[in-house]
Amino acid sequence: MSGTIAELMSAQSSTNPDERPIRVRMAPSPTGPLHIGTARTSLYNYLFARATSGTYVLRIEDTDLARSTPEFEHDILDNLHWLGITWDEGPQAAGGEDIGPFGPYRQSLRMDRYAREADRLLQSAAAYHCWCTPEELDAVRREQEAHREPPRYNGRCLRLTDADRAAFEAEGRRPAVRFKVPPETIRFDDLIRGEVEFDNGLLGDFVIVRANGVPVYHFTVVVDDEQMEISHVIRGEDHLSNTPRHIALIQALDYTVPRFGHMPLILNPDRSKMSKRLLQTAIGAYREQGYLPEAIVNFLAFLGWSPGTEEEIFSLDELAARFEIGEVHKAGAVFDESRLDHLNGVYIRSLNDADLALRLRPLLAEAISDATLAGLVPLVRERMVRLTDAVELTGFLAEPDDVVAGWWDVDDLLPKGRDLAEVAGALGVARDELAACGDWSAEELEAAARGAAGELGWKPGDFFRPLRLAVTGKAVSPPLFGSMVLLGRERTLARLDAALERLRAAAPA
RNA sequence: GCCCCCAUCGUCUAGAGGCCUAGGACGCCACCCUUUCAAGGUGGAGAUCACCGGUUCGAAUCCGGUUGGGGGCGCCA
């Protein structure tokens, strides 16, 4: 049954057409900070590269000179590193040197290549000069829309005479270069979507080099992917419809067609394409708010992929070991912030004391010493969704006594059914019992407070309420006695005394 | 308007013809634990698998259509 073997071989070769080594790339554009969507595309490419022992290339797509900035480039590379995503070729740091044999990895430094390849197309008449102005194109487009026709280039400059061309040149117009799209059916086998078919006869000829000489994205990707020997192009679904024009370009240039894989989009809660309007999209913003890179990676990985089991906590390494491009979903996935929050909490709780202290340190006031921080960690760990939650939780330690006292009102001290005098009495007893403790430890303080509550016939919860307010300034706080230990004997008693004074002043004589 | 893609609880998902009276997780509700809040534990509500037709002894799973949603149609990337 040689047919079976032949089928098997053709199936394999369709996965990896010419046995080229696997090389993937991410190609961010430094026209904004690292976006959630770019981060996920980068992650999937990274996972694919690691799962297949391929090479991962980073290329900076900075042909939009006006909007690209070094700051954005820095944000992108820095946050990618922060997420734990590394690459084998390309600039390792913003403005830093490239690594790898296919450089430069920055499109602004590759202009001569684009010009050369555009000339080849011009020479073979696969492309032509176009003198239409943006205004003229706009007018045509509006006309087409009015007639309910698909908006596409009308091919005017394809039919120009030499005299026309000379006239435009005489006017001082500079031509753009337009690719003449062959009217063919383009078919390809998408890694994620399977067979996809487009009719390029429906496409208008598109610009590949602007009148100012700067090449356009559709052209630069194709040239760069060929010259960097990219074997698999994994990108967002928004590029699916662009793929047939890329393939047409690849064929006209006599390049090798890579395998394509189009990932589902990340969606707003209303299921439209993720946007800054409805969602926070900058990775840096999540970082600043105290999301852990581990949680973001885990969350992003599951937005459009699942290992097929019920496990859901995975490190980057574990993801790389499990990842399978064919398992990636086709449907878009809504970005659910409450799920990210949950995962972040899980990761925070999994951190050991030293690690959590290290991550909290830069967020907390200097008034909180390293020793205090060490004691704080076990008290706050289970109470945080984001690292920045620790700021609120530890405010009672960072702020001076009078500020903390300003956080509450005398009325807040009263548990249900107790009046001012009762509370003043109870607080007084508690203060004295605590002061009498020989050892200022959470265990001893708790025993003393519970003893006092019992003797007075108070429920512990009610009894602790005014204490908590007086010491931490809030009705909700980390565990009370641990908090007292960290505050220290002196400051705790001072706050209790101050509270007593306020109570007595407010109580009717 | 044209082209393309998609469709399981509110959300992320499991499911590749019988194991599904559709499983897990987030969120929500209740209870337990408890010094507050969390965390943790237990339980609950929540999906006629978009709809309609096929194929089949049998369909969430295969096929066709419909509807709905999304993406693309730039001298943006």
Side-chain angles (χ1 to χ4, degrees):
Chain A
M1 277 283 168
S2 59
T4 314
I5 292 170
E7 270 169 37
L8 193 66
M9 289 183 66
S10 85
Q12 278 178 345
S13 68
S14 86
T15 304
N16 192 3
D18 19 52
E19 301 300 317
R20 291 199 295 172
I22 292 184
R23 292 174 54 84
V24 298
R25 45 67 165 184
M26 58 178 148
S29 182
T31 52
L34 181 64
H35 183 99
I36 287 279
T38 312
R40 189 185 61 144
T41 306
S42 301
L43 173 64
Y44 277 40
N45 272 286
Y46 171 83
L47 295 176
F48 179 74
R50 285 198 48 188
T52 59
S53 302
T55 303
Y56 194 18
V57 177
L58 172 73
R59 180 173 73 224
I60 302 290
E61 307 222 322
D62 56 351
T63 53
D64 188 337
L65 270 15
R67 292 195 300 143
S68 296
T69 74
E71 288 73 28
F72 288 141
E73 183 179 325
H74 177 268
D75 182 277
I76 291 167
L77 301 201
D78 183 48
N79 282 117
L80 244 16
H81 276 131
W82 178 70
L83 288 171
I85 295 174
T86 56
W87 47 96
D88 307 303
E89 295 177 20
Q92 300 298 307
E97 253 174 64
D98 289 349
I99 290 180
F102 296 92
Y105 292 87
R106 194 180 309 271
Q107 291 188 326
S108 55
L109 267 28
R110 301 172 63 81
M111 292 301 175
D112 52 330
R113 294 166 197 258
Y114 308 131
R116 211 185 308 137
E117 296 302 274
D119 272 345
R120 276 182 55 213
L121 291 176
L122 246 13
Q123 235 122 72
S124 65
Y128 56 94
H129 285 298
C130 173
W131 281 270
C132 297
T133 63
E135 295 72 30
E136 289 166 350
L137 295 171
D138 221 46
V140 171
R141 207 168 294 131
R142 269 201 299 272
E143 177 103 348
Q144 288 166 331
E145 270 164 32
H147 290 256
R148 311 199 140 192
E149 284 165 17
R152 60 166 134 150
Y153 183 60
N154 60 11
R156 184 190 76 170
C157 289
L158 191 56
R159 298 184 294 269
L160 258 28
T161 63
D162 285 346
D164 294 331
R165 276 187 274 269
F168 284 134
E169 291 291 346
E171 267 181 57
R173 287 202 197 185
R174 305 263 66 213
V177 178
R178 215 173 258 282
F179 178 62
K180 193 160 70 186
V181 180
E184 298 168 342
T185 296
I186 299 286
R187 215 186 302 266
F188 60 98
D189 187 19
D190 193 276
L191 261 356
I192 294 163
R193 276 146 221 285
E195 279 301 322
V196 187
E197 194 182 296
F198 287 87
D199 179 5
N200 266 4
L202 268 20
L203 242 45
D205 296 343
F206 58 91
V207 168
I208 55 174
V209 182
R210 300 175 176 92
N212 66 6
V214 179
V216 151
Y217 164 79
H218 297 302
F219 186 57
T220 59
V221 248
V222 163
V223 171
D224 288 341
D225 284 345
E226 166 76 9
Q227 294 185 337
M228 294 181 180
E229 296 180 12
I230 300 303
S231 63
H232 297 248
V233 172
I234 298 164
R235 60 199 348 183
E237 195 200 327
D238 45 350
H239 286 299
L240 188 59
S241 311
N242 291 150
T243 303
R245 74 187 63 203
H246 294 168
I247 292 178
L249 230 22
I250 288 166
Q251 288 171 345
L253 287 159
D254 205 23
Y255 291 166
T256 306
V257 181
R259 292 298 312 266
F260 291 98
H262 289 93
M263 304 173 30
L265 260 23
I266 300 179
L267 274 22
N268 290 318
D270 68 1
R271 305 203 76 89
S272 58
K273 185 178 171 180
M274 185 189 204
S275 68
K276 206 156 63 175
R277 280 199 94 71
L278 295 171
L279 239 31
Q280 189 167 65
T281 58
I283 289 285
Y286 288 91
R287 181 181 182 174
E288 276 166 30
Q289 282 165 46
Y291 286 92
L292 306 188
E294 299 92 322
I296 293 177
V297 161
N298 199 149
F299 174 74
L300 254 23
F302 275 70
L303 234 42
W305 175 82
S306 136
T309 65
E310 287 182 354
E311 303 159 88
E312 45 195 12
I313 303 299
F314 286 92
S315 68
L316 196 53
D317 288 345
E318 290 164 339
L319 288 169
R322 299 287 207 97
F323 187 77
E324 182 67 62
I325 188 75
E327 287 172 343
V328 174
H329 305 155
K330 298 173 183 168
V334 172
F335 187 97
D336 179 5
E337 282 183 299
S338 70
R339 197 176 178 80
L340 208 211
D341 282 349
H342 168 254
L343 270 178
N344 206 50
V346 167
Y347 276 96
I348 286 177
R349 273 171 254 131
S350 77
L351 259 25
N352 65 41
D353 288 1
D355 196 355
L356 184 50
L358 211 61
R359 303 208 202 201
L360 249 22
R361 181 69 276 180
L363 299 172
L364 299 179
E366 280 178 39
I368 295 173
S369 70
D370 287 351
T372 302
L373 176 56
L376 216 36
V377 161
L379 300 187
V380 299
R381 173 186 281 115
E382 279 165 10
R383 278 159 254 266
M384 285 188 285
V385 168
R386 291 164 285 245
L387 292 176
T388 45
D389 291 340
V391 174
E392 168 89 14
L393 252 14
T394 60
F396 75 96
L397 284 169
E399 300 294 338
D401 294 352
D402 55 335
V403 170
V404 172
W407 291 347
W408 54 274
D409 275 333
V410 169
D411 287 346
D412 296 331
L413 297 186
L414 309 186
K416 251 212 306 239
R418 301 285 183 177
D419 63 29
L420 240 43
E422 283 177 296
V423 172
L427 199 56
V429 172
R431 186 253 176 247
D432 292 340
E433 290 294 326
L434 294 173
C437 283
D439 184 16
W440 194 256
S441 69
E443 296 71 31
E444 198 160 324
L445 294 174
E446 180 171 353
R450 281 183 188 282
E455 273 172 44
L456 294 173
W458 282 56
K459 286 199 303 198
D462 287 347
F463 192 74
F464 296 165
R465 181 185 169 87
L467 278 173
R468 183 184 310 281
L469 254 323
V471 174
T472 70
K474 315 225 167 174
V476 172
S477 79
L480 180 54
F481 304 102
S483 298
M484 289 181 175
V485 170
L486 292 175
L487 230 207
R489 185 174 194 276
E490 208 173 308
R491 291 179 76 194
T492 301
L493 293 179
R495 287 185 187 185
L496 289 174
D497 287 335
L500 271 169
E501 215 167 290
R502 278 171 72 182
L503 261 178
R504 290 190 183 119

